Amino acid sequence: DAGITQSPRHKVTETGTPVTLRCHQTENHRYMYWYRQDPGHGLRLIHYSYGVKDTDKGEVSDGYSVSRSKTEDFLLTLESATSSQTSVYFCAITSDGSSYNEQFFGPGTRLTVL
Amino acid sequence: RKEVEQDPGPFNVPEGATVAFNCTYSNSASQSFFWYRQDCRKEPKLLMSVYSSGNEDGRFTAQLNRASQYISLLIRDSKLSDSATYLCVVMILTGGGNKLTFGTGTQLKVEL
C-alpha cells in the first residue's frame, strides 16, 4: 500500500463546469503523476510533479491544469469539462529510493461528463 | 505503430495451465520494464519489474530481450485469482522524472 488516496472516487458533472480531482499521499514522495485510462488506450500521462510548485505536462495535457502547493497533495483541474474528458483518472507516485523507479497507483476517480 | 504493443486477448485457459504473454516496445532508449496487473475497475498494481537477466517470482517469470525489444511474462499453474488484465510497461528516464508508456493490456481468464 503506497498510501495514496483519491477524491472523489466517482463524479458526474455537466459539460462546461469546472472539476477538481485530488490526490493525497502520506509518505512524502517527491514525484506524483496524473493519468487517464480509456478503452483502447494504455494509461496516458496528463501532468506530473517533481516537487512542490514544480509541475510539467504529459502527453495529453490539453484542457487540464495541476497544482501542488504541498508535498502530499496533487490537484488536477478541468477548467471547463467536456465529454471527451469522461474517463478514469489515476494518480501515481514513484517510490523514492527505488532503483527501478516503479510507480504505484491510487484507487482512481471515475469521471463522467454529460 | 504503438510504442508498446500487446495482444489484447482474451486468453481463456483452464486452471493449472501455463500461459505466456508477449509485449514489444519501439523505443530502444527504454530503460526499465514492468508488468502490472489490473483487475476490473481497479487500479494497476505492480506485479514485477523485469530485470535484464530475467527474473522469477513464484509462479511468474519475466524475460527481457533488448536486442529484439521484447518482454514476456509466463504464468505457471494458473489460478482462478490470476484472472485480470496484464499491462506491459516500459520506462524512460527523463530530466523531470520517469516516463512510463503503457500497453493496452492482455486479458486473462482462468476457468475451472
Side-chain angles (χ1 to χ4, degrees), chain A residues 17-45:
Chain A
T17 60
V19 177
T20 295
L21 308 183
R22 180 182 184 232
C23 177
H24 179 79
Q25 53 119 340
T26 59
E27 298 179 1
N28 288 321
H29 297 294
R30 179 182 173 195
Y31 289 93
M32 299 183 74
Y33 307 83
W34 276 108
Y35 292 90
R36 61 178 290 174
Q37 186 175 34
D38 305 289
H41 296 273
L43 276 82
R44 293 178 292 174
L45 182 65

Side-chain angles (χ1 to χ4, degrees), chain A residues 11 15 34 56 68 97 114:
Chain A
K11 187 170 182 66
T15 297
W34 276 108
D56 207 346
R68 192 163 178 206
L114 301 175

Side-chain angles (χ1 to χ4, degrees), chain A residues 6-105:
Chain A
Q6 293 185 230
S7 58
R9 295 292 314 279
H10 301 271
K11 187 170 182 66
V12 180
T13 191
E14 293 189 349
T15 297
T17 60
V19 177
T20 295
L21 308 183
R22 180 182 184 232
C23 177
H24 179 79
Q25 53 119 340
T26 59
E27 298 179 1
N28 288 321
H29 297 294
R30 179 182 173 195
Y31 289 93
M32 299 183 74
Y33 307 83
W34 276 108
Y35 292 90
R36 61 178 290 174
Q37 186 175 34
D38 305 289
H41 296 273
L43 276 82
R44 293 178 292 174
L45 182 65
I46 305 171
H47 281 278
Y48 66 96
S49 170
Y50 46 96
V52 173
K53 299 193 188 319
D54 291 323
T55 65
D56 207 346
K57 295 179 180 180
E59 64 179 297
V60 291
S61 59
D62 287 349
Y64 301 96
S65 62
V66 290
S67 66
R68 192 163 178 206
S69 58
K70 299 185 290 185
T71 299
E72 58 266 34
D73 288 324
F74 191 31
L75 304 181
L76 177 70
T77 297
L78 291 68
E79 300 290 348
S80 177
T82 67
S83 58
S84 65
Q85 293 176 312
T86 291
S87 188
V88 181
Y89 292 85
F90 290 103
C91 175
I93 59 93
T94 295
S95 183
D96 298 342
S98 164
S99 58
Y100 278 82
N101 294 288
E102 300 95 341
Q103 290 187 9
F104 298 92
F105 290 83

Side-chain angles (χ1 to χ4, degrees), chain B residues 23-41:
Chain B
C23 168
T24 58
Y25 61 95
S26 60
N27 192 332
S28 59
S30 299
Q31 293 162 288
S32 296
F33 308 88
F34 310 95
W35 284 101
Y36 279 76
R37 171 198 168 121
Q38 188 171 26
D39 294 289
C40 188
R41 301 176 77 85

Side-chain angles (χ1 to χ4, degrees), chain B residues 18 45 54 64 78 84-85 91 102 108:
Chain B
T18 295
K45 292 189 176 179
L64 168 64
S78 299
T85 297
M91 189 191 79
F102 290 78
L108 172 65

